[in-house]
Amino acid sequence: MNLVFATANKGKLREAGEILDGIVKLVTPPELGIFEELPETAMTLEENSLQKAERLRTLCGLDCFADDTGLEVDALGGAPGAHAARYACDVALRDGLPMPADHDFEANIDTLLNELGKHPGAPRTARFRSVVTLLYGQRTLQFEGILEGRIAFGRSGGGGFGYDPVFIADEYPGCSLAELPEEVKNAISHRGKALRAMARWLKNNSRL
C-alpha cells in the first residue's frame, strides 16, 4: 500500500524509507503534484503533526503521516519546545532584538547557548521529542520518540542538521550528534523511535 509522508526532506525520507521498507511504499507530496507548505502553527508537537497530516489528507485524499520535532531544555523550562525551528525569532521578539530569518539554525543555536548562559550551574539536560501522526482509514494515531541528552557549551561536528552540533545523547556522551555517523544517529534518533513504533503498528494492522 501507498502512504504519503508530509515531507520533501531527503534525510527524513531516507530514514523513514529504511524503517518502513517492506511494509508500505512511501509517496511524497511533490509526487502527487502538491507543493503547498503545510501549516504548523500550533503550540504543541502533537497539534502541529496533526495539523500537517490533516491538511495533507485534505489535499490528497490518501492515508498519510506527518511528524513534528521539538527540543526541550530543562533549565529553560522546556523551551524551545515545539518552536525549536524559530527559537531565535521568538527570543528576538521577546527582547526587542533584530529579527533573524525563520529556521536559521545558526541563530537558533547561538540563542540557545546564550539563554543557557543566563543559568550558570544549572543542569544542561535536554531531550529531542518527535511525534508522528498517522491518518489511516478512519483512524488517527500518534507515536512518540524521545532522545535524552544534554546541551554542550559549544558546537562540534559537521554532520547532521539543526541543533545536532550542540546536542550530546546519553548513549554517546563523548560526542555531539553532528559527530556521529548517520547510521548510528538514525539508530537512536527520536524520529526513528517514533517511526519504528508506527511501523510496528502498521505491520500488525495493515490492510494488505
Side-chain angles (χ1 to χ4, degrees), residues 77-100:
H83 287 190
R86 51 188 182 275
Y87 186 47
C89 295
D90 287 351
V91 172
L93 186 63
R94 181 196 73 190
D95 295 346
L97 300 172
M99 187 66 65

Side-chain angles (χ1 to χ4, degrees), residues 2-8 25-36 38 55-65:
N2 292 340
L3 190 62
V4 189
F5 185 8
T7 189
K25 180 182 183 297
L26 286 186
V27 179
T28 66
E31 289 178 290
L32 300 173
I34 299 170
F35 299 94
E36 176 182 313
L38 299 173
R55 179 56 183 163
L56 181 56
R57 168 69 76 83
T58 297
L59 292 170
C60 71
L62 302 172
D63 291 341
C64 61
F65 69 99

Side-chain angles (χ1 to χ4, degrees), residues 130-153:
S130 286
V131 174
V132 171
T133 296
L134 171 66
L135 302 184
Y136 187 80
Q138 301 303 310
R139 299 184 185 225
T140 298
L141 301 110
Q142 293 192 313
F143 306 90
E144 181 184 67
I146 296 174
L147 177 62
E148 296 284 352
R150 60 186 173 86
I151 305 300
F153 287 90

Side-chain angles (χ1 to χ4, degrees), residues 121-132:
R124 297 175 76 89
T125 49
R127 68 207 48 82
F128 278 118
R129 192 164 69 87
S130 286
V131 174
V132 171

Side-chain angles (χ1 to χ4, degrees), residues 38-58:
L38 299 173
E40 46 182 344
T41 58
M43 298 301 295
T44 68
L45 301 177
E46 289 81 3
E47 292 169 332
N48 268 339
S49 62
L50 177 61
Q51 186 181 51
K52 288 191 285 187
E54 288 182 333
R55 179 56 183 163
L56 181 56
R57 168 69 76 83
T58 297

